[in-house]
Each structure stands twice: as C-alpha cells, then as structure tokens.
Amino acid sequence: MVDARGYSCPMPVVMVQKEVKKNAPATLEVLVDNQCSVENVTRYGMGQGYQVKVTQEGQDFRLTLSK
Amino acid sequence: MEENNIKLTKLAKCAGCGAKVGAGVLSQLLEGIKVHHDPNLLVGFDKSDDASVYKVSEDLALVQTVDFFPPIADDPYTFGQIAATNALSDVYAMGGEPKLCLNIMAIPESMPKDAVHQLLRGGYDKVYEAGALITGGHSILDDEPKYGLCVTGFVHPDKILTNAGARPGDVLLFTKPIGIGVLTSAAKADMASKAGMELATRMMTTLNKSARDAMVKYNVHSCTDVTGFGLLGHLCEMAQGSDVEITLHVDAIDLIPESLELAKMGILPAGMYRNRTFAEPWVDAGDTELCKQDLLYDPQTAGGLLMAVDPADADALYAELKGVVPSAQWIGTVAEYQGGKRLFLR
C-alpha cells in the first residue's frame, strides 16, 4: 500500500516506483488525491505490465495495480 | 554558505509555464466582461494571441506583453534568464523587436539578498542580449518567489504576425526541441539527468531573436511561440484562429529522448493534462504512441517559434533557420478546414 495523498506530481509516481522496484508486488494499492497523479500512476503501472483499476473514494482515488 | 544551498524550485508548487491558467479556464474567466474596441488596437486579448498590438502611426505599432512565473530553476541567475527569455519571446512571436521592459517580482522576506540580486542580474543580462532595456518595475513580498517582465516592443503595422494568419498550403516550421516541461518536472524529484537539465536550461535561455530575425525576411503568414499550452495547444489556437486544419508529421518533431522515457514512466506535469483536456477534442491522434502524444501536450517554458510560411519560401527559411536556431524542424502542413477535427497527427 502506497499512500501518496498530499503529494503533487511527480512524487506519487516516484513513491510507487520505489515500492515496485523494492518488492515487485503482484498487487499494489495506491491512494492519491489528484487527477494528475491518477493518470501518471496509471501510465507507470501499465508500462510495468500491471492492470490498473481506479475507484474514487470521496476526494481521493484508489488505484489497484495487479499482474 | 547557506545562500549557495537555496533551491528555488522547492519553494514553488508548479514550474514555469506549467503554472499558467488553462486555455479553456481563461476564456471562462473572461466571459461576459465587456471588450472595448479601438480602431488602432490591431491585436487585443479577445484573439488569444501572444501580445497586444496598438497602431501608433502608419509605420509604427507598439507590441505589449507580460509574463511571469514561479521558479523553474534552482539557481536564481538561471531563473532570471529563463523568465526574461520567456517574456521577450511573445514580442518576437508577433514579428516585433522588444525595446522597453519592466520587472515584475515577488519574493519571500527570507530570501537571501544575494539570491534576489542574482535573479535580477539574470533578467537584465537577457534583456541586454535582446537589445532592450529594463526601465523599472514593481516588487512585492510573497511566500512563493515569482519573476517576469512586462515587455514593450515595436513592429511595422503591416508586418505583424498573429497566430490567426495561417493559410492552406503553408508549411509549419519550428525552432526548439519539445519535452522541456517533462524534464523540469522530473527535476523536482531528482529524476532528470544532469545532461537533460543542461539541455533544458540551454533551450530555456536561448532567445527567439535569431528565429525572429530570420523569419521576418520571408513570406511568413502566421507565428506563435510554444509555451504553457504545449505544441498542440498552441497549434490548436493557430488552427482555430486561422480557420484551417493542420497535419503534423510526428516523426519530424524533435522530441527530447529523455523526456520520452520519462513520459513512458508517468513523470508528466499537471499542465500536460490541462493542455490535453483543452486541445484533445480537436486532435485526431491516428496511431501515435501515447508517450509521444503526451510530449506534444507538454507545457514548454520559453519554447520555440512556430511559423506558418508560404510554401514558395519554406525551403529557404528552413535552410536559414538550420544555421541559427537550436533545432530547425519542418513539422507539418496547413490545409483548408474540412469540418470536424483540426489537428491530424501522422
């Protein structure tokens, strides 16, 4: 789980990248609070071979990356 | 020692022209405000052009523009140079020559005096390089530093180049590589290489003077500088303003390789998405890769000049530009509008 709420681009992608490089998780939940981060984390995830599902939770967005 | 460690970009939320209010939002903000007309106002803000132009006499018109933004470089001297290069560019984009400039500056109370001095020195150096003068300015205190210039220049009233003059058959030429916004955004997370940042800085501090001086010798119908709205945002304004459609040869566009790699990793500035929202309804992207599309929407700071030149003059202008601009590119052609989309990526 990466909680990148409160961070603006490009930090959320950097945080997700760190987690993927370190643990190579099969699934990863990411929380962000802006549309730019949703798009950027989606592009990164898909580039790494993940499927990405986005659900809105109030003001926040939950991205589920899975292989 | 502390003064040397100041990292200006850490004080800013958005970098450079990425901080610009989106094109669509801007027209909403201006909606309903009465526009006063004057027969001598040749180009006004209702045209979404780079600068306003006011005719003083049969052979003289004033070109006026203002541009400022938060730090896009950590080094104050570099930031001052970039902000000035960017502000002066709007006058070049109208085919004019900048002459009188006023500083606009916001600084935190805690910012070291030497850093402020360096920032201003950067601005002055670029303005002098352009052959213009700084005659004064205005400064306020603010948590986030900001710097730029109000620039007045001159142009012959018959030689004004707006972004609304492109004609079917024209060739589109461009003068700097694309991907500067991605690099400066990546730099905020220390993800841009040293070489990449040197390239971005070199581009952002290169005046569009040489491009302008070459352009005015040929039959150029329309010009704009590519800045905050990205290449496609500014092309969209040109296509709409000129009521034409444009086909872009994506492979002919100089996309900075490192920016392309960063785009693939999702290191993209928020301004890119704002630009996409504005221009995408007018774009037929064909089978252009997503990362390349993203770069075409990337907000540029002090980007190059985009010119629509008469096809009879295209070869000669292109050849001349090759010797004097950072990256001369023959990127597309203009055609009669067929309805529907205005920009075609091929």
Side-chain angles (χ1 to χ4, degrees):
Chain A
M1 165 80 165
V2 173
D3 186 352
R5 289 174 298 177
Y7 291 92
S8 61
C9 287
M11 285 320 292
V13 170
V14 175
M15 293 160 78
V16 171
Q17 192 181 34
K18 208 174 270 179
E19 176 63 22
V20 167
K21 278 193 176 159
K22 193 173 152 203
N23 296 319
T27 61
L28 178 63
E29 302 265 311
V30 183
L31 284 175
V32 297
D33 59 10
N34 64 80
Q35 197 63 43
C36 175
S37 298
V38 172
E39 296 283 346
N40 278 349
V41 172
T42 300
R43 278 167 169 71
Y44 173 73
M46 288 172 71
Q48 298 298 309
Y50 288 97
Q51 289 189 318
V52 184
K53 199 178 101 207
V54 184
T55 45
Q56 189 157 6
E57 299 180 351
Q59 301 287 315
D60 302 330
F61 301 88
R62 180 183 295 272
L63 288 88
T64 309
L65 280 60
S66 56
K67 275 197 176 168
Chain B
M1 281 297 106
E2 199 182 70
E3 293 185 9
N4 295 329
N5 294 330
I6 182 168
K7 276 207 145 194
L8 283 184
T9 58
K10 303 286 183 221
L11 299 170
K13 275 192 289 204
C14 349
C17 285
K20 195 165 175 172
V21 175
V25 177
L26 198 56
S27 57
Q28 283 170 28
L29 293 173
L30 292 166
E31 204 178 321
I33 296 180
K34 200 175 164 207
V35 179
H36 281 249
H37 292 280
D38 180 318
N40 289 321
L41 181 63
L42 305 178
V43 182
F45 80 85
D46 50 330
K47 301 266 175 64
S48 34
D49 218 311
D50 302 307
S52 59
V53 184
Y54 190 86
K55 187 171 157 185
V56 181
S57 67
E58 287 311 309
D59 55 7
L60 183 70
L62 279 184
V63 187
Q64 274 201 317
T65 178
V66 58
D67 221 314
F68 70 107
F69 46 64
I72 190 156
D74 284 321
D75 171 55
Y77 179 73
T78 306
F79 172 45
Q81 285 187 302
I82 294 170
T85 304
N86 188 66
L88 291 159
S89 177
D90 285 327
V91 175
Y92 293 130
M94 304 302 292
E97 285 183 286
K99 199 30 102 180
L100 303 171
C101 305
L102 297 166
N103 283 317
I104 300 163
M105 185 170 70
I107 44 164
E109 214 162 0
S110 59
M111 192 163 156
K113 275 201 185 71
D114 182 58
V116 181
H117 175 78
Q118 294 299 332
L119 191 164
L120 288 168
R121 199 168 61 83
Y124 276 80
D125 281 356
K126 272 295 145 188
V127 166
Y128 293 151
E129 185 186 327
L133 305 165
I134 293 183
T135 58
H138 188 72
S139 312
I140 60 163
L141 293 172
D142 191 356
D143 291 341
E144 186 187 67
K146 295 169 190 78
Y147 178 64
L149 298 166
C150 176
V151 185
T152 301
F154 301 122
V155 69
H156 191 288
D158 299 335
K159 305 238 165 102
I160 299 163
L161 292 171
T162 71
N163 63 3
R167 300 178 200 168
D170 282 355
V171 168
L172 284 173
L173 302 178
F174 186 54
T175 64
K176 285 185 186 177
I178 289 281
I180 290 166
V182 168
L183 281 173
T184 52
S185 178
K188 294 191 101 177
D190 298 320
M191 289 196 65
S193 72
K194 194 164 170 275
M197 278 320 290
E198 280 169 4
L199 171 69
T201 302
R202 202 161 61 244
M203 290 306 113
M204 292 187 291
T205 55
T206 300
L207 291 174
N208 281 329
K209 183 180 194 311
S210 308
R212 178 264 174 206
D213 290 348
M215 168 175 83
V216 296
K217 292 191 245 167
Y218 297 91
N219 193 6
V220 171
H221 296 142
S222 184
C223 179
T224 190
D225 59 341
V226 173
T227 55
F229 299 151
L231 182 62
L232 288 179
H234 289 282
L235 269 172
C236 192
E237 286 191 332
M238 184 181 274
Q240 286 175 330
S242 311
D243 194 24
V244 293
E245 61 181 53
I246 287 167
T247 299
L248 274 190
H249 315 306
V250 177
D251 290 340
I253 302 172
D254 184 2
L255 302 173
I256 299 169
E258 184 172 345
S259 305
L260 212 47
E261 288 310 309
L262 289 162
K264 283 182 194 162
M265 287 195 293
I267 307 289
L268 292 158
M272 189 288 286
Y273 293 103
R274 283 198 295 274
N275 292 340
R276 195 180 252 280
T277 304
F278 163 71
E280 199 172 28
W282 300 100
V283 177
D284 174 342
D287 53 7
T288 308
E289 270 179 274
L290 182 63
C291 58
K292 290 186 179 173
Q293 288 182 45
D294 286 343
L295 282 198
L296 298 179
Y297 291 106
D298 181 39
Q300 307 298 288
T301 297
L305 292 189
L306 177 67
M307 313 162 184
V309 60
D310 190 285
D313 275 6
D315 282 316
L317 176 55
Y318 181 54
E320 182 159 347
L321 287 174
K322 273 189 192 169
V324 295
V325 302
S327 173
Q329 302 152 63
W330 181 305
I331 66 167
T333 48
V334 180
E336 205 168 307
Y337 184 47
Q338 303 295 320
K341 306 278 184 187
R342 289 203 183 261
L343 305 176
F344 297 84
L345 310 187
R346 293 297 180 261

